[in-house]
Amino acid sequence: MLVERYNPLEEKILTILDKDGKVINDELVPEIENEELLHMYKTMLLTRVADTKALQYQRQGRMLTYAPNKGQEAAQVGSASAIENRDWLVPAFREMGAWLYKGVSLEQIYLYWYGSEEGSRFPENIKMLPVSVPIASQLNHAVGIAMASNIKEEDEVTLAYVGDGGTSQGEFHEAMNFAAVFNAPLVVVVQNNQYAISVPRLEQTKTKTLAEKAIAYGIPGIQVDGNDILAVYGAVKEAVDRARRGEGPTLIEAVTYRLGPHTTSDDPTIYREDKEVEEWKEKDPLIRFKTYLIDKGLWSEEEDSKQIEEFEKLANDTFKRVENSDEIPLEDIFKYHYEEMTENLIEQYEDYKAYLAEGGR
Ligand SMILES: Cc1ncc(C[n+]2csc(CCOP(=O)(O)OP(=O)(O)O)c2C)c(N)n1
């Protein structure tokens, strides 16, 4: 078992594909069909393209605040591809690859960041909760779902996400403890992207890893190279299988890096060195997986360029549809905070209406 072989207290981290896309742990390569490998790669690529585009739309004043995913695609797709349709996915807010993999459309994702709650209304067959911005609050919901699955004797597992910063919230501890005590079929993936806005991981906690926190809850924990999609998949799949067998929750720390800003309101050059970013670019999860697929004869640079063009067109067409959809009445923003609008809200609503009437956006 990977969780026994890679004890976080011994600072062991699971890597299968090295940064050049070469397999360094042959016997640990998970069994994944070729077609599935390609689907995983294409989902990562779509995430990269749609994410880059979203940042541009925001900079052009066409989108609200946006939280970029660049650099974290393997942690997202590698984990989401290890669950099945019947399983639940509980997001934080930086998992575009996982949402796409789960079947959420790009249109809905763009709608969400465009400010429409319609972006959170998923079709019935997609078992995913809406994006959760209050840090770590989603984890208690995730444990609740997993406990309910046990009570209802449903054969389903819940996969939940949180960031490195989120592990300092009270909700993280409550959720992990509840999950362990009630043997909930839950897998928590911590996307350790090294920063909680400007707070570096080293200032977040005194423990050497985030995975070792599992030990205090009495559950398995493992640290994986979050830029290696095969390692992420392998660890999450093992945890999902364990949960489905009724053996309770697992905590997985995917060590990755946020290559972009925290959100579009952030300037990361203030708190981190370009050199560090450059070093992490060398470990780009997308390039690593692409090299692996090309070496396996499953993909080529030509196909890659063509696919990028197709995805760029898809992103632009999708976003134009979102922009041109007239689905968000302005009053929605103000109307549903309270049963009746407060004086303050009425004033803000009127102000904003006037601003729009003058041609503002
Ligand atoms: C309860 C709560 N406190 C503060 C914030 C403001 N906030 C938004 S993102 C963030 C940092 C989150 O860091 P991390 O969990 O590492 O996730 P990342 O943003 O790096 O993906 C904070 C403090 C919030 N959204 N919710």
Side-chain angles (χ1 to χ4, degrees), residues 330-348:
L330 178 66
E331 62 176 13
D332 276 18
I333 302 172
F334 302 93
K335 205 170 164 185
Y336 300 115
H337 279 274
Y338 303 99
E339 193 176 358
E340 280 178 23
M341 277 201 263
T342 60
E343 261 176 46
N344 246 342
L345 283 175
I346 294 171
E347 195 183 317
Q348 288 174 23

PDB file of all heavy atoms in Angstrom, residues 330-348:
ATOM      1  N   LEU A 330     -29.608  42.802 -12.753  1.00  0.00           N
ATOM      2  CA  LEU A 330     -28.770  43.527 -11.796  1.00  0.00           C
ATOM      3  C   LEU A 330     -29.310  43.423 -10.377  1.00  0.00           C
ATOM      4  O   LEU A 330     -28.573  43.253  -9.410  1.00  0.00           O
ATOM      5  CB  LEU A 330     -28.678  44.993 -12.226  1.00  0.00           C
ATOM      6  CG  LEU A 330     -27.884  45.876 -11.288  1.00  0.00           C
ATOM      7  CD1 LEU A 330     -26.420  45.483 -11.277  1.00  0.00           C
ATOM      8  CD2 LEU A 330     -28.050  47.336 -11.676  1.00  0.00           C
ATOM      9  N   GLU A 331     -30.627  43.486 -10.262  1.00  0.00           N
ATOM     10  CA  GLU A 331     -31.201  43.508  -8.913  1.00  0.00           C
ATOM     11  C   GLU A 331     -30.913  42.221  -8.127  1.00  0.00           C
ATOM     12  O   GLU A 331     -30.932  42.219  -6.908  1.00  0.00           O
ATOM     13  CB  GLU A 331     -32.701  43.801  -8.947  1.00  0.00           C
ATOM     14  CG  GLU A 331     -33.503  42.757  -9.676  1.00  0.00           C
ATOM     15  CD  GLU A 331     -35.006  43.051  -9.592  1.00  0.00           C
ATOM     16  OE1 GLU A 331     -35.365  44.168  -9.188  1.00  0.00           O
ATOM     17  OE2 GLU A 331     -35.787  42.150  -9.926  1.00  0.00           O
ATOM     18  N   ASP A 332     -30.604  41.137  -8.847  1.00  0.00           N
ATOM     19  CA  ASP A 332     -30.294  39.877  -8.156  1.00  0.00           C
ATOM     20  C   ASP A 332     -29.163  40.053  -7.148  1.00  0.00           C
ATOM     21  O   ASP A 332     -29.125  39.407  -6.104  1.00  0.00           O
ATOM     22  CB  ASP A 332     -29.856  38.806  -9.161  1.00  0.00           C
ATOM     23  CG  ASP A 332     -31.063  38.117  -9.780  1.00  0.00           C
ATOM     24  OD1 ASP A 332     -32.163  38.690  -9.683  1.00  0.00           O
ATOM     25  OD2 ASP A 332     -30.881  37.030 -10.355  1.00  0.00           O
ATOM     26  N   ILE A 333     -28.222  40.915  -7.509  1.00  0.00           N
ATOM     27  CA  ILE A 333     -27.042  41.096  -6.656  1.00  0.00           C
ATOM     28  C   ILE A 333     -27.451  41.698  -5.308  1.00  0.00           C
ATOM     29  O   ILE A 333     -26.876  41.406  -4.271  1.00  0.00           O
ATOM     30  CB  ILE A 333     -26.010  42.016  -7.357  1.00  0.00           C
ATOM     31  CG1 ILE A 333     -25.607  41.427  -8.695  1.00  0.00           C
ATOM     32  CG2 ILE A 333     -24.797  42.263  -6.470  1.00  0.00           C
ATOM     33  CD1 ILE A 333     -24.746  42.368  -9.534  1.00  0.00           C
ATOM     34  N   PHE A 334     -28.471  42.532  -5.344  1.00  0.00           N
ATOM     35  CA  PHE A 334     -28.854  43.270  -4.137  1.00  0.00           C
ATOM     36  C   PHE A 334     -30.066  42.662  -3.424  1.00  0.00           C
ATOM     37  O   PHE A 334     -30.213  42.770  -2.218  1.00  0.00           O
ATOM     38  CB  PHE A 334     -29.174  44.722  -4.515  1.00  0.00           C
ATOM     39  CG  PHE A 334     -28.024  45.413  -5.188  1.00  0.00           C
ATOM     40  CD1 PHE A 334     -27.914  45.434  -6.572  1.00  0.00           C
ATOM     41  CD2 PHE A 334     -27.021  46.011  -4.427  1.00  0.00           C
ATOM     42  CE1 PHE A 334     -26.840  46.056  -7.186  1.00  0.00           C
ATOM     43  CE2 PHE A 334     -25.942  46.638  -5.034  1.00  0.00           C
ATOM     44  CZ  PHE A 334     -25.855  46.660  -6.421  1.00  0.00           C
ATOM     45  N   LYS A 335     -30.906  42.028  -4.201  1.00  0.00           N
ATOM     46  CA  LYS A 335     -32.238  41.685  -3.721  1.00  0.00           C
ATOM     47  C   LYS A 335     -32.263  40.535  -2.705  1.00  0.00           C
ATOM     48  O   LYS A 335     -33.119  40.497  -1.828  1.00  0.00           O
ATOM     49  CB  LYS A 335     -33.095  41.290  -4.930  1.00  0.00           C
ATOM     50  CG  LYS A 335     -34.569  41.492  -4.723  1.00  0.00           C
ATOM     51  CD  LYS A 335     -35.256  41.305  -6.059  1.00  0.00           C
ATOM     52  CE  LYS A 335     -36.728  41.097  -5.862  1.00  0.00           C
ATOM     53  NZ  LYS A 335     -37.378  40.797  -7.139  1.00  0.00           N
ATOM     54  N   TYR A 336     -31.338  39.596  -2.847  1.00  0.00           N
ATOM     55  CA  TYR A 336     -31.503  38.360  -2.079  1.00  0.00           C
ATOM     56  C   TYR A 336     -30.636  38.251  -0.828  1.00  0.00           C
ATOM     57  O   TYR A 336     -30.496  37.191  -0.242  1.00  0.00           O
ATOM     58  CB  TYR A 336     -31.281  37.153  -3.000  1.00  0.00           C
ATOM     59  CG  TYR A 336     -32.262  37.147  -4.150  1.00  0.00           C
ATOM     60  CD1 TYR A 336     -31.838  37.292  -5.461  1.00  0.00           C
ATOM     61  CD2 TYR A 336     -33.626  37.041  -3.893  1.00  0.00           C
ATOM     62  CE1 TYR A 336     -32.757  37.326  -6.499  1.00  0.00           C
ATOM     63  CE2 TYR A 336     -34.550  37.072  -4.925  1.00  0.00           C
ATOM     64  CZ  TYR A 336     -34.111  37.218  -6.237  1.00  0.00           C
ATOM     65  OH  TYR A 336     -35.011  37.252  -7.255  1.00  0.00           O
ATOM     66  N   HIS A 337     -30.056  39.368  -0.406  1.00  0.00           N
ATOM     67  CA  HIS A 337     -29.278  39.320   0.836  1.00  0.00           C
ATOM     68  C   HIS A 337     -30.199  39.156   2.037  1.00  0.00           C
ATOM     69  O   HIS A 337     -29.932  38.408   2.958  1.00  0.00           O
ATOM     70  CB  HIS A 337     -28.474  40.612   1.003  1.00  0.00           C
ATOM     71  CG  HIS A 337     -27.225  40.623   0.215  1.00  0.00           C
ATOM     72  ND1 HIS A 337     -26.054  40.095   0.673  1.00  0.00           N
ATOM     73  CD2 HIS A 337     -26.979  41.091  -1.027  1.00  0.00           C
ATOM     74  CE1 HIS A 337     -25.128  40.241  -0.253  1.00  0.00           C
ATOM     75  NE2 HIS A 337     -25.661  40.831  -1.287  1.00  0.00           N
ATOM     76  N   TYR A 338     -31.272  39.926   2.027  1.00  0.00           N
ATOM     77  CA  TYR A 338     -32.242  39.914   3.132  1.00  0.00           C
ATOM     78  C   TYR A 338     -33.638  39.715   2.544  1.00  0.00           C
ATOM     79  O   TYR A 338     -33.820  39.850   1.328  1.00  0.00           O
ATOM     80  CB  TYR A 338     -32.203  41.250   3.892  1.00  0.00           C
ATOM     81  CG  TYR A 338     -30.841  41.580   4.437  1.00  0.00           C
ATOM     82  CD1 TYR A 338     -30.010  42.469   3.752  1.00  0.00           C
ATOM     83  CD2 TYR A 338     -30.380  40.988   5.616  1.00  0.00           C
ATOM     84  CE1 TYR A 338     -28.745  42.762   4.248  1.00  0.00           C
ATOM     85  CE2 TYR A 338     -29.118  41.278   6.113  1.00  0.00           C
ATOM     86  CZ  TYR A 338     -28.302  42.162   5.420  1.00  0.00           C
ATOM     87  OH  TYR A 338     -27.059  42.433   5.898  1.00  0.00           O
ATOM     88  N   GLU A 339     -34.589  39.454   3.417  1.00  0.00           N
ATOM     89  CA  GLU A 339     -35.957  39.284   2.931  1.00  0.00           C
ATOM     90  C   GLU A 339     -36.388  40.542   2.169  1.00  0.00           C
ATOM     91  O   GLU A 339     -36.991  40.479   1.111  1.00  0.00           O
ATOM     92  CB  GLU A 339     -36.898  39.011   4.111  1.00  0.00           C
ATOM     93  CG  GLU A 339     -38.248  38.519   3.641  1.00  0.00           C
ATOM     94  CD  GLU A 339     -39.157  38.161   4.810  1.00  0.00           C
ATOM     95  OE1 GLU A 339     -38.700  38.276   5.970  1.00  0.00           O
ATOM     96  OE2 GLU A 339     -40.303  37.800   4.554  1.00  0.00           O
ATOM     97  N   GLU A 340     -36.038  41.690   2.774  1.00  0.00           N
ATOM     98  CA  GLU A 340     -36.281  42.947   2.059  1.00  0.00           C
ATOM     99  C   GLU A 340     -34.977  43.711   1.979  1.00  0.00           C
ATOM    100  O   GLU A 340     -34.174  43.650   2.918  1.00  0.00           O
ATOM    101  CB  GLU A 340     -37.302  43.794   2.830  1.00  0.00           C
ATOM    102  CG  GLU A 340     -38.701  43.313   2.569  1.00  0.00           C
ATOM    103  CD  GLU A 340     -39.737  44.101   3.368  1.00  0.00           C
ATOM    104  OE1 GLU A 340     -39.425  45.261   3.754  1.00  0.00           O
ATOM    105  OE2 GLU A 340     -40.811  43.547   3.612  1.00  0.00           O
ATOM    106  N   MET A 341     -34.806  44.469   0.919  1.00  0.00           N
ATOM    107  CA  MET A 341     -33.556  45.223   0.774  1.00  0.00           C
ATOM    108  C   MET A 341     -33.443  46.276   1.873  1.00  0.00           C
ATOM    109  O   MET A 341     -34.417  46.971   2.171  1.00  0.00           O
ATOM    110  CB  MET A 341     -33.504  45.907  -0.589  1.00  0.00           C
ATOM    111  CG  MET A 341     -33.043  45.018  -1.701  1.00  0.00           C
ATOM    112  SD  MET A 341     -32.420  46.000  -3.081  1.00  0.00           S
ATOM    113  CE  MET A 341     -33.836  46.043  -4.096  1.00  0.00           C
ATOM    114  N   THR A 342     -32.260  46.405   2.461  1.00  0.00           N
ATOM    115  CA  THR A 342     -32.046  47.445   3.462  1.00  0.00           C
ATOM    116  C   THR A 342     -31.861  48.790   2.747  1.00  0.00           C
ATOM    117  O   THR A 342     -31.619  48.811   1.538  1.00  0.00           O
ATOM    118  CB  THR A 342     -30.779  47.157   4.279  1.00  0.00           C
ATOM    119  OG1 THR A 342     -29.677  47.131   3.357  1.00  0.00           O
ATOM    120  CG2 THR A 342     -30.852  45.827   5.009  1.00  0.00           C
ATOM    121  N   GLU A 343     -31.927  49.875   3.525  1.00  0.00           N
ATOM    122  CA  GLU A 343     -31.765  51.199   2.909  1.00  0.00           C
ATOM    123  C   GLU A 343     -30.446  51.302   2.167  1.00  0.00           C
ATOM    124  O   GLU A 343     -30.345  51.841   1.072  1.00  0.00           O
ATOM    125  CB  GLU A 343     -31.824  52.273   3.998  1.00  0.00           C
ATOM    126  CG  GLU A 343     -33.190  52.906   4.077  1.00  0.00           C
ATOM    127  CD  GLU A 343     -33.274  53.892   5.220  1.00  0.00           C
ATOM    128  OE1 GLU A 343     -32.342  54.703   5.366  1.00  0.00           O
ATOM    129  OE2 GLU A 343     -34.262  53.814   5.971  1.00  0.00           O
ATOM    130  N   ASN A 344     -29.417  50.768   2.839  1.00  0.00           N
ATOM    131  CA  ASN A 344     -28.088  50.772   2.249  1.00  0.00           C
ATOM    132  C   ASN A 344     -28.047  50.099   0.891  1.00  0.00           C
ATOM    133  O   ASN A 344     -27.462  50.602  -0.061  1.00  0.00           O
ATOM    134  CB  ASN A 344     -27.159  49.938   3.154  1.00  0.00           C
ATOM    135  CG  ASN A 344     -26.128  50.806   3.776  1.00  0.00           C
ATOM    136  OD1 ASN A 344     -25.904  51.904   3.281  1.00  0.00           O
ATOM    137  ND2 ASN A 344     -25.513  50.329   4.836  1.00  0.00           N
ATOM    138  N   LEU A 345     -28.681  48.931   0.851  1.00  0.00           N
ATOM    139  CA  LEU A 345     -28.669  48.162  -0.398  1.00  0.00           C
ATOM    140  C   LEU A 345     -29.469  48.877  -1.482  1.00  0.00           C
ATOM    141  O   LEU A 345     -29.063  48.911  -2.637  1.00  0.00           O
ATOM    142  CB  LEU A 345     -29.220  46.746  -0.165  1.00  0.00           C
ATOM    143  CG  LEU A 345     -28.257  45.775   0.501  1.00  0.00           C
ATOM    144  CD1 LEU A 345     -28.946  44.453   0.795  1.00  0.00           C
ATOM    145  CD2 LEU A 345     -27.038  45.524  -0.380  1.00  0.00           C
ATOM    146  N   ILE A 346     -30.602  49.483  -1.068  1.00  0.00           N
ATOM    147  CA  ILE A 346     -31.409  50.225  -2.060  1.00  0.00           C
ATOM    148  C   ILE A 346     -30.554  51.344  -2.658  1.00  0.00           C
ATOM    149  O   ILE A 346     -30.508  51.544  -3.873  1.00  0.00           O
ATOM    150  CB  ILE A 346     -32.698  50.791  -1.416  1.00  0.00           C
ATOM    151  CG1 ILE A 346     -33.607  49.618  -1.008  1.00  0.00           C
ATOM    152  CG2 ILE A 346     -33.426  51.745  -2.369  1.00  0.00           C
ATOM    153  CD1 ILE A 346     -34.812  50.014  -0.180  1.00  0.00           C
ATOM    154  N   GLU A 347     -29.821  52.036  -1.755  1.00  0.00           N
ATOM    155  CA  GLU A 347     -28.990  53.154  -2.215  1.00  0.00           C
ATOM    156  C   GLU A 347     -27.928  52.645  -3.211  1.00  0.00           C
ATOM    157  O   GLU A 347     -27.725  53.225  -4.276  1.00  0.00           O
ATOM    158  CB  GLU A 347     -28.326  53.781  -0.993  1.00  0.00           C
ATOM    159  CG  GLU A 347     -27.739  55.142  -1.266  1.00  0.00           C
ATOM    160  CD  GLU A 347     -27.030  55.670  -0.021  1.00  0.00           C
ATOM    161  OE1 GLU A 347     -27.557  55.532   1.098  1.00  0.00           O
ATOM    162  OE2 GLU A 347     -25.913  56.177  -0.192  1.00  0.00           O
ATOM    163  N   GLN A 348     -27.277  51.528  -2.823  1.00  0.00           N
ATOM    164  CA  GLN A 348     -26.229  50.981  -3.696  1.00  0.00           C
ATOM    165  C   GLN A 348     -26.811  50.532  -5.041  1.00  0.00           C
ATOM    166  O   GLN A 348     -26.221  50.749  -6.097  1.00  0.00           O
ATOM    167  CB  GLN A 348     -25.552  49.786  -3.019  1.00  0.00           C
ATOM    168  CG  GLN A 348     -24.661  50.192  -1.870  1.00  0.00           C
ATOM    169  CD  GLN A 348     -24.128  48.973  -1.118  1.00  0.00           C
ATOM    170  OE1 GLN A 348     -24.065  47.882  -1.649  1.00  0.00           O
ATOM    171  NE2 GLN A 348     -23.765  49.180   0.127  1.00  0.00           N
TER     172      GLN A 348
END
